[in-house]
Amino acid sequence: RIMDDIAAYNIPVFNFPNSEDEDDEETVEENAELRAMMPFAVVGCEEVINEDGRPVRVRSYPWGVVQVDNDEHSDFDRLRYVLLNSHIGDLRDLTQNDIYELYRTEKLSGNTIAGAAANDAASAQQSMSSQPRAVAV
């Protein structure tokens, strides 16, 4: 259901490569597994408890405790591995070739959201200052 909403609202997400020609069998299998896991469920926490003499990062809820590093509770470890190890090159390429180039193009052309908002605000202020003002008594 969530992936249907992501597609319906055209929310950009990283698509793990699916090229058997360029990647080895293990990489293709891993990417298929990662695509099946999407969207990832990530839990954050600020609490650490001792369980069996070792520290465990948890988030407490009225119904129980969620362990951040437990693969049955959260995809945090898997996502961390993907982002920092197995797909770091893809992340760098995406950041450089797509995200940064889009930002650079917008900055050079002056078509930024902040710039458009500032222009709209300035024209609205100019429009208001040119209109006669009425004073209520």
Side-chain angles (χ1 to χ4, degrees), residues 20 70 101:
E20 295 180 14
N70 184 336
E101 287 302 323

Side-chain angles (χ1 to χ4, degrees), residues 76-119:
F76 178 77
D77 279 341
R78 182 63 177 198
L79 188 58
R80 179 176 50 192
Y81 174 78
V82 167
L83 291 175
L84 300 178
N85 294 307
S86 67
H87 288 76
I88 188 73
D90 294 331
L91 180 61
R92 283 186 189 135
D93 291 344
L94 176 68
T95 303
Q96 174 66 37
N97 298 334
D98 295 346
I99 298 170
Y100 175 72
E101 287 302 323
L102 177 62
Y103 168 80
R104 184 174 166 274
T105 302
E106 286 178 350
K107 281 295 189 184
L108 290 174
S109 67
N111 291 336
T112 62
I113 294 172
N119 289 340

Side-chain angles (χ1 to χ4, degrees), residues 27-73:
T27 303
V28 171
E29 188 175 303
E30 179 186 23
N31 287 342
E33 180 183 324
L34 291 169
R35 276 192 302 279
M37 291 176 67
M38 290 177 62
F40 294 100
V42 178
V43 178
C45 75
E46 294 180 0
E47 186 178 350
V48 177
I49 63 171
N50 279 325
E51 187 174 287
D52 298 329
R54 63 180 179 89
V56 178
R57 296 183 301 166
V58 299
R59 182 172 205 133
S60 297
Y61 292 98
W63 46 263
V65 174
V66 175
Q67 297 176 356
V68 173
D69 298 315
N70 184 336
D71 290 339
E72 293 178 11
H73 297 183

